[in-house]
Amino acid sequence: MANEHLALDATHDPQRLSWVESANSADTEFPIQNLPFGRFRAGAQEPWRIGVAIGNQVLDLQAAGLLDHGDMNRLMAAGPQTRRRLRQALSQGLTAGAPQAATWHDALLAMDSVELGLPCRIGDYTDFYVGIHHATAVGRLFRPDNPLLPNYRWVPIGYHGRASTVLASGTPFHRPRGQVKPAGDAPPALAPSSRLDLELELGIFIGTPNALGEPVPLAEAEDHVFGLALFNDWSARDFQAWEYQPLGPFLAKNFASTVSPWIVTLDALAPFRRAFERPAGDPQPLPYLDSAANQASGAFDIALEVVLQTATMRAAGQAGETISRSNYADAAYWTLAQLVTHHSVNGCALAAGDLLGTGTLSGPQPEQAGSLLELTGGGQRQIALANGEQRRFLEDGDAIALRGRCERAGFRSIGFGTCVATVLPARPL
Ligand code: CA
């Protein structure tokens, strides 16, 4: 990968403060070192505009005179140099004492006063399966004798999902209906899912497109990535078990998937890179998926968290309860650069705004699992919640929030915001 991804510059300076006071608080996810991009509007009749999160505010890039359009996909397609120039201008102009404060002040909106939408138009959506601990644990439930299939360590496994049902954070969805097959000889029936689950994932947003027939070499792969967001690939495990063979995920997966509003750029993530290593004894990737740079710094240290708030907790005014914690760097068997290169190796064209889900990012320990399927041993055990409730799978009224945060000594911590949605009852037939 190109060296500029590794470059730390003044935009990462932990001493840099902003004239937007809320960006300087210790617990903000959006200090001046982050500067993630998203889309917002001030009313349902208004067009989407491009904004950058700073503290508890959103800076309107057009109103600030930094862009002459509000088309996020166009900005994403413009490539990493444009994005980095914009980041430099934003960082300088938002720095405490900068003269831009006088004019940009009028381009700020309180984040809680605007609607945050999908961060871009998502043309295509692919979901990968890079979480090797997840793949092994789930494989054990579905195939006890053969948990991890032999292709797993050689080829990044994925499938094509549907962009039409990727939802903005905060959008509730109804429990899906589908075919459920009881055990034994009983025939399948159409029913609301009784094994509704979450999947803790990251979403990789493509920026620079590649032309049809032109694979993206590993050394250039990160130049095609705009940034990352949190992603929950809601899953109906009962539908999945019945339908998944021989062609893989289908209706168990495409009733709802939730993405967080802010895309954290690879530039903001530069301080949080980590070496990418395979366990001793595992095969090394094929040459087109391997490089010294990918091994040296292809992984990202992103702490992840799953928070469950039941309807009972909400009614009692209680915050949600953390049911799992993991880390992207500990969970993923393939880097995002490898995913882009593999996805395009056959000539497949990736477009600006395409979304690649990583797959469920379960950590190596059982309590670090990114799905209820794993946390409950396939629904065999209940999770005990602090208020006395229990869960095997999600119930109506449950809200799941995903969080992500990067921390490293000597750097300002940055966050991803929230990816949240509430399960509504199945629609009446
Ligand atoms: Ca998934």
Side-chain angles (χ1 to χ4, degrees):
M1 57 209 69
N3 285 332
E4 56 263 36
H5 295 301
L6 310 179
L8 298 176
D9 57 32
T11 69
H12 304 101
D13 177 359
Q15 305 303 327
R16 184 170 278 197
L17 297 175
S18 176
W19 51 264
V20 179
E21 277 300 323
S22 59
N24 302 328
S25 77
D27 60 349
T28 184
E29 296 190 284
F30 307 118
I32 192 170
Q33 291 80 6
N34 193 345
L35 304 174
F37 293 85
R39 292 196 303 176
F40 72 95
R41 61 185 178 185
Q45 308 306 317
E46 301 289 318
W48 293 108
R49 303 170 71 85
I50 303 176
V52 162
I54 178 78
N56 60 14
Q57 306 286 303
V58 178
L59 182 72
D60 180 334
L61 295 195
Q62 256 184 293
L66 288 164
L67 283 179
D68 60 3
H69 65 86
D71 184 343
M72 180 70 96
N73 292 62
R74 181 175 155 194
L75 172 62
M76 295 167 90
Q81 298 308 331
T82 297
R83 186 185 70 226
R84 287 187 196 115
R85 277 198 302 272
L86 199 47
R87 176 178 169 86
Q88 294 287 343
L90 281 159
S91 183
Q92 286 168 19
L94 287 167
T95 294
Q100 287 90 336
T103 48
W104 288 10
H105 189 268
D106 293 335
L108 282 178
L109 297 99
M111 200 181 293
D112 62 9
S113 74
V114 298
E115 179 185 357
L116 300 174
L118 287 172
C120 61
R121 295 187 312 279
I122 301 170
D124 270 313
Y125 155 49
T126 301
D127 200 22
F128 282 97
Y129 201 50
V130 306
I132 190 168
H133 309 295
H134 171 76
T136 305
V138 171
R140 193 172 290 124
L141 293 169
F142 284 72
R143 294 176 307 273
D145 300 336
N146 192 18
L148 197 65
L149 295 172
N151 57 4
Y152 190 86
R153 290 186 170 89
W154 294 98
V155 56
I157 303 295
Y159 69 95
H160 291 298
R162 281 189 67 83
S164 64
T165 33
V166 178
L167 307 175
S169 180
T171 307
F173 65 93
H174 291 274
R175 179 179 298 274
R177 277 193 172 74
Q179 279 205 21
V180 178
K181 173 71 172 70
D185 294 334
L190 182 68
S193 174
S194 61
R195 291 165 69 89
L196 184 62
D197 201 353
L198 66 114
E199 288 193 336
L200 168 64
E201 304 196 16
L202 286 165
I204 301 160
F205 280 98
I206 298 296
T208 311
N210 66 298
L212 178 68
E214 293 184 8
V216 177
L218 191 64
E220 298 170 18
E222 288 191 353
D223 288 340
H224 292 259
V225 173
F226 190 79
L228 304 181
L230 299 164
F231 186 63
N232 187 344
D233 178 27
W234 305 94
S235 299
R237 301 301 181 192
D238 33 10
F239 311 167
Q240 185 179 358
W242 174 230
E243 75 174 10
Y244 90 105
Q245 295 192 81
L247 284 185
F250 186 38
L251 301 182
K253 296 284 186 175
N254 71 349
F255 54 91
S257 310
T258 306
V259 67
S260 58
W262 298 110
I263 304 179
V264 178
T265 63
L266 292 195
D267 315 312
L269 291 168
F272 309 103
R273 287 178 172 275
R274 218 202 255 182
F276 179 72
E277 291 157 342
R278 288 226 162 152
D282 279 21
Q284 291 307 305
L286 293 179
Y288 79 100
L289 292 176
D290 198 13
S291 73
N294 189 61
Q295 291 180 25
S297 59
F300 292 88
D301 185 346
I302 303 173
L304 300 166
E305 184 180 9
V306 181
V307 179
L308 166 63
Q309 187 191 44
T310 69
T312 302
M313 293 176 193
R314 200 155 46 249
Q318 294 170 343
E321 180 172 334
T322 297
I323 59 170
S324 181
R325 284 192 172 87
S326 73
N327 189 299
Y328 180 33
D330 298 332
Y333 198 73
W334 302 96
T335 64
L336 59 88
Q338 288 172 320
L339 299 185
V340 170
T341 292
H342 181 66
H343 204 315
S344 63
V345 71
N346 65 348
C348 174
L350 301 173
D354 282 2
L355 171 64
L356 313 184
T358 55
T360 307
L361 297 171
S362 301
Q365 302 304 320
E367 69 275 13
Q368 297 173 323
S371 71
L372 289 170
L373 184 72
E374 295 159 86
L375 290 170
T376 66
Q380 296 298 306
R381 302 183 295 272
Q382 298 268 16
I383 294 178
L385 302 172
N387 70 349
E389 291 186 277
Q390 297 187 318
R391 284 292 181 277
R392 284 192 172 86
F393 291 98
L394 296 171
E395 305 211 347
D396 296 344
D398 285 353
I400 290 288
L402 309 182
R403 311 298 298 261
R405 195 159 183 110
C406 300
E407 290 181 346
R408 181 179 158 198
F411 289 90
R412 192 79 154 86
S413 170
I414 63 172
F416 279 72
T418 306
C419 176
V420 65
T422 302
V423 179
L424 302 176
R427 287 180 189 276
L429 277 178

